[in-house]
Amino acid sequence: MSVLHYDKHTNSFLLGVGANLYQLSDNRAKLLVKCGEVPETTEKEEPIKEGEKAPRAEGPAYITGVATCEGRVAVISNNKVVETFDRDFQRVASTVAIKRATSVQITDKTVVISDKAGDAYSYSTDLTDRKYLLGHVSVVMDMILTPDLNFLITCDRDEKIRISHFPNCYNIHSYLLGHQEYVLKILLLSPNLLLSVGGDQKLILWDLSTSQPVQTLPSPQEDYITISYSPPYILACNSRHVTVYKLTDTTLTQTSQLVTDHDIIDVASSDSRVALLTREPKLEIYQFSEGVMSGKCEVEGEIDLSQFKDSVLPEKKKVVRTAGFAEYFERKRKRIEEENLKEESKQAHINLQEKSKETHLKG
Amino acid sequence: MTKVKYPQKRNYRQRAHSNPLSDHSFDYPVSPDVMDWTKLYPRFKPENEVKFCDIGCGYGGLLVTLSPMFPETYMVGFEIRVKVSDYVNDRFLALRQDNEVYHNAGVIRTNAMKYLPNFFRKGQLEKMFILYPDPHFKKCKHKWRIVSEGLLAEYAYVLKVGGLVYTVSDVKEVHDWMVEHFTNFPLFERYDPPAEDKAAQVLIGSTEEGKKVLRNKGQSWTAIFKRVEDPYSKLRWDVDF
């Protein structure tokens, strides 16, 4: 889930609070539009399969993701609504996804979403022509469509980062394997470098040409919440820390660390600003220069943060069931022991019999 | 040393269906580079590679048949059920004791739907077997089926171009489902094996499931598919980073 987004096309931040989409320019917030409105069902939309019903919106409507391209903004909401707006924030198209979307990407030709069932779909710009792209076996936690539109990168709860060709996503290019828990967020730093953070509390920098990690950093404080990138700086957030790293070549070095008073929900960054949403709930804007955050100021304008709602995702950490296997192996061990004992006593009995036969013959 | 006994099925009974979507406790390597195959095959050398995989190998019937037929090839069965995979393990321990062969086959208790790329590199496998897969008849259980559009991408990834997938089922609906999915998938094509394909000949008679079908005078349907080049990349040169 990502509710804070830096829109490089307008040099402003977009923030979703509840169903409301806000724009932050300088330190002023402006309400743009209310999202998540359920579209009327149209005949244009094809149901998933013949005989199956078209997907229905369900659940409360609040924003769970935002993506931008030059002429459009895409928003995904908790109630399964996917919609696009033009730059005046007039709604251009909307549809209901099959399952709740977890990430969204938009270009001037397509909208791509990943969902909680682990699947990814592409839509035409008017959100009518839906195509199945790929499927993971667990929830897709984050997704990147590379700027050259040649690859779709998805990461899941089963520790995997998968790089598929695009739009022929059935053709998997490679996997980045190294995390030992769910992969929470990924960022493409350059055509050859990917950054990821996972539930194993690792931050990993990957070389995409070799599919190998080039650097692994441990978390300064428990679980990661999110990461953000403003070249050449990376901001990695735990619940109370924002650690800034500088990327030089293929190495990350820490430049600064900020401790917050409240738990962080999301972060977004530009060249000169960092927007931070905390659980107070509070929205703060920092100056950002040379990899250091400073000059915190509050956001002005009518913004009702109390409407903020957390996205509900299935349990991220694995709940391992051993289902009495220890019992089975214990029983097996005992059974084999008993069988061996029986064998031995049988053998001993035979030996005795033979011996007594011998003595009998002798005698 | 105490002789390893051949396992008896009655000691390894387990419910046929297992939920592949839930988190069982498995051992699996973080990546194929760190997988230690010598734990499975006593004679495995660094230059060796596992080439055949039986997905859902059950009680090991296919592997026991294939192992002496391809003595130079390393093959593995994936089985999600604890007791069943334990049975296969014990079966091979006993077989290896009595025979010079069977050192090239083994079983791993794991979830093939989730962890194939953890065990195998891209294009590593030459043959994959999906014999008598669980039908999971109910629509709500379709996502448990071992053949789906999403999973075919993973099978295509671990199989080399030109590699083969062998499928069998005694349930016509499942056979049709597999044929439909494989043939509609751009990276697979239906394949008619030549007479020399030894593996194709043992598909029905070698497994416990298959023998049961024969005993009950039921019918089995087979379908074999070949992994082909991506037709899409022929339109534009295969792009790399």
Side-chain angles (χ1 to χ4, degrees):
Chain A
M1 179 190 72
S2 158
V3 291
L4 253 180
H5 175 87
Y6 173 62
D7 179 10
K8 66 179 187 218
H9 307 281
T10 58
N11 191 27
S12 64
F13 293 102
L14 292 174
L15 167 68
V17 179
N20 293 327
L21 186 68
Y22 293 90
Q23 183 169 46
L24 303 166
S25 3
D26 299 321
N27 294 344
R28 292 203 64 88
K30 186 175 85 162
L31 174 65
L32 294 170
V33 68
K34 185 155 189 217
C35 301
E37 201 180 284
V38 182
E40 290 162 21
T41 40
T42 55
E43 289 86 44
K44 277 195 286 180
E45 264 202 61
E46 290 160 39
I48 317 163
K49 287 188 180 78
E50 288 194 12
E52 286 201 24
K53 293 181 275 202
R56 284 241 192 91
E58 53 186 354
Y62 54 87
I63 297 169
T64 51
V66 178
T68 54
C69 65
E70 198 172 324
R72 294 259 197 276
V73 175
V75 176
I76 49 172
S77 298
N78 180 66
N79 62 347
K80 295 171 24 177
V81 170
V82 179
E83 50 201 335
T84 54
F85 301 89
D86 61 21
R87 282 310 184 157
D88 293 322
F89 291 94
Q90 296 299 308
R91 185 173 286 106
V92 167
S94 71
T95 188
V96 180
I98 299 172
K99 291 271 186 223
R100 211 176 284 144
T102 51
S103 297
V104 61
Q105 299 272 268
I106 184 170
T107 71
D108 53 10
K109 292 205 180 64
T110 186
V111 174
V112 179
I113 60 164
S114 61
D115 69 18
K116 82 174 222 292
D119 300 320
Y121 296 89
S122 69
Y123 290 85
S124 50
T125 39
D126 59 0
L127 296 182
T128 52
D129 185 24
R130 181 185 64 220
K131 288 201 176 77
Y132 177 80
L133 292 177
L134 57 81
H136 287 244
V137 178
S138 59
V139 61
V140 171
M141 308 210 74
D142 203 5
M143 179 178 71
I144 295 172
L145 182 57
T146 58
D148 59 10
L149 302 186
N150 285 324
F151 298 94
L152 187 67
I153 309 178
T154 42
C155 63
D156 67 13
R157 194 171 151 268
D158 287 320
E159 308 110 40
K160 292 192 184 45
I161 300 170
R162 169 176 156 171
I163 302 177
S164 316
H165 287 266
F166 182 83
N168 47 333
C169 298
Y170 52 77
N171 187 342
I172 301 174
H173 177 274
S174 51
Y175 281 93
L176 303 178
L177 302 173
H179 277 291
Q180 283 153 311
E181 269 290 349
Y182 60 88
V183 184
L184 181 71
K185 277 221 174 297
I186 45 177
L187 283 177
L188 194 65
L189 307 184
S190 72
N192 218 34
L193 278 179
L194 185 101
L195 190 75
S196 65
V197 285
D200 53 1
Q201 298 176 11
K202 289 193 193 146
L203 183 141
I204 304 182
L205 189 64
W206 305 85
D207 178 340
L208 295 176
S209 60
T210 59
S211 305
Q212 296 298 322
V214 291
Q215 191 177 7
T216 304
L217 292 168
S219 164
Q221 177 224 29
E222 290 172 0
D223 287 340
Y224 281 104
I225 303 293
T226 187
I227 40 180
S228 178
Y229 182 48
S230 291
Y233 299 103
I234 285 117
L235 288 82
C237 299
N238 305 101
S239 42
R240 291 287 174 101
H241 288 64
V242 180
T243 312
V244 185
Y245 300 91
K246 184 173 184 184
L247 177 71
T248 337
D249 247 358
T250 57
T251 315
L252 291 170
T253 34
Q254 185 173 325
T255 58
S256 70
Q257 195 175 71
L258 185 95
V259 181
T260 59
D261 299 322
H262 299 273
D263 288 350
I264 297 170
I265 299 171
D266 205 359
V267 82
S269 54
S270 70
D271 283 337
S272 56
R273 296 270 191 285
V274 173
L276 197 71
L277 179 68
T278 66
R279 209 167 277 290
E280 200 182 334
K282 213 185 217 167
L283 183 63
E284 296 163 348
I285 305 273
Y286 292 80
Q287 310 260 27
F288 186 54
S289 162
E290 309 281 310
V292 179
M293 288 161 69
S294 62
K296 163 169 80 166
C297 55
E298 299 243 353
V299 170
E300 298 160 34
E302 10 71 62
I303 177 165
D304 183 8
L305 289 175
S306 66
Q307 295 297 308
F308 181 78
K309 287 228 173 55
D310 264 303
S311 171
V312 179
L313 271 188
E315 183 55 49
K316 301 197 284 274
K317 274 230 151 83
K318 294 208 160 149
V319 179
V320 169
R321 292 170 191 97
T322 42
F325 299 152
E327 251 181 68
Y328 161 70
F329 285 109
E330 184 56 28
R331 270 187 280 128
K332 181 183 176 184
R333 191 189 62 80
K334 286 212 180 96
R335 173 173 54 84
I336 291 175
E337 228 173 73
E338 278 168 28
E339 282 174 9
N340 287 341
L341 279 169
K342 261 200 209 152
E343 271 283 321
E344 279 170 30
S345 71
K346 212 164 94 178
Q347 195 59 43
H349 186 73
I350 292 172
N351 290 346
L352 252 158
Q353 279 196 318
E354 301 211 322
K355 236 188 174 160
S356 74
K357 249 198 232 161
E358 269 180 45
T359 48
H360 187 76
L361 287 168
K362 278 195 188 147
Chain B
M1 190 185 74
T2 38
K3 184 175 150 70
V4 176
K5 293 220 191 65
Y6 285 92
Q8 291 171 299
K9 289 219 193 102
R10 63 162 190 265
N11 291 321
Y12 298 82
R13 289 258 172 261
Q14 180 164 6
R15 186 170 166 269
H17 310 282
S18 187
N19 181 358
L21 266 46
S22 80
D23 305 320
H24 310 246
S25 72
F26 295 115
D27 279 326
Y28 52 91
V30 165
S31 73
D33 301 333
V34 302
M35 176 63 192
D36 181 12
W37 292 101
T38 60
K39 282 198 281 203
L40 206 63
Y41 310 108
R43 301 178 185 172
F44 197 85
K45 294 195 196 61
E47 61 267 23
N48 293 135
E49 255 192 347
V50 173
K51 294 288 185 193
F52 294 179
C53 182
D54 183 359
I55 302 215
C57 65
Y59 290 91
L62 178 71
L63 291 171
V64 170
T65 310
L66 287 179
S67 169
M69 282 170 71
F70 298 88
E72 307 296 310
T73 306
Y74 279 97
M75 53 188 77
V76 71
F78 279 7
E79 174 53 52
I80 196 173
R81 294 169 288 173
V82 173
K83 294 183 191 174
V84 179
S85 63
D86 198 36
Y87 172 91
V88 181
N89 209 34
D90 290 347
R91 191 172 179 186
F92 276 106
L93 284 174
L95 282 168
R96 287 176 190 170
Q97 200 174 232
D98 293 345
N99 300 278
E100 248 310 292
V101 292
Y102 302 113
H103 291 268
N104 59 336
V107 67
I108 293 181
R109 192 192 143 247
T110 188
N111 182 338
M113 284 171 76
K114 293 192 183 204
Y115 304 123
L116 273 178
N118 291 75
F119 288 97
F120 304 120
R121 291 184 193 92
K122 185 174 187 176
Q124 176 172 336
L125 297 179
E126 289 174 358
K127 293 191 199 293
M128 263 176 57
F129 298 88
I130 303 176
L131 305 198
Y132 300 99
D134 194 328
H136 291 303
F137 289 112
K138 294 186 187 165
K139 192 172 278 159
C140 61
K141 294 282 191 276
H142 279 189
K143 61 182 186 238
W144 288 16
R145 286 185 167 179
I146 198 74
V147 174
S148 68
E149 195 177 346
L151 282 173
L152 285 176
E154 302 220 353
Y155 301 153
Y157 172 83
V158 296
L159 260 178
K160 69 175 201 195
V161 173
L164 299 173
V165 183
Y166 299 77
T167 71
V168 185
S169 179
D170 57 333
V171 180
K172 186 78 177 22
E173 187 214 323
V174 173
H175 166 77
D176 290 340
W177 166 286
M178 291 198 283
V179 170
E180 187 198 325
H181 278 75
F182 271 98
T183 44
N184 288 337
F185 195 76
L187 302 180
F188 285 108
E189 241 171 42
R190 188 91 188 249
Y191 177 73
D192 211 4
E196 311 89 66
D197 188 329
K198 298 184 274 182
Q201 284 146 33
V202 301
L203 292 181
I204 296 178
S206 57
T207 59
E208 276 70 9
E209 200 57 50
K211 287 180 186 145
K212 189 168 35 158
V213 172
L214 286 171
R215 270 201 310 275
N216 298 337
K217 309 247 193 308
Q219 197 177 347
S220 290
W221 291 269
T222 67
I224 300 168
F225 304 94
K226 186 190 249 189
R227 164 53 158 121
V228 297
E229 301 257 15
D230 187 357
Y232 189 86
S233 60
K234 289 208 181 77
L235 302 174
R236 24 169 260 184
W237 188 247
D238 194 18
V239 186
D240 243 333
F241 288 107

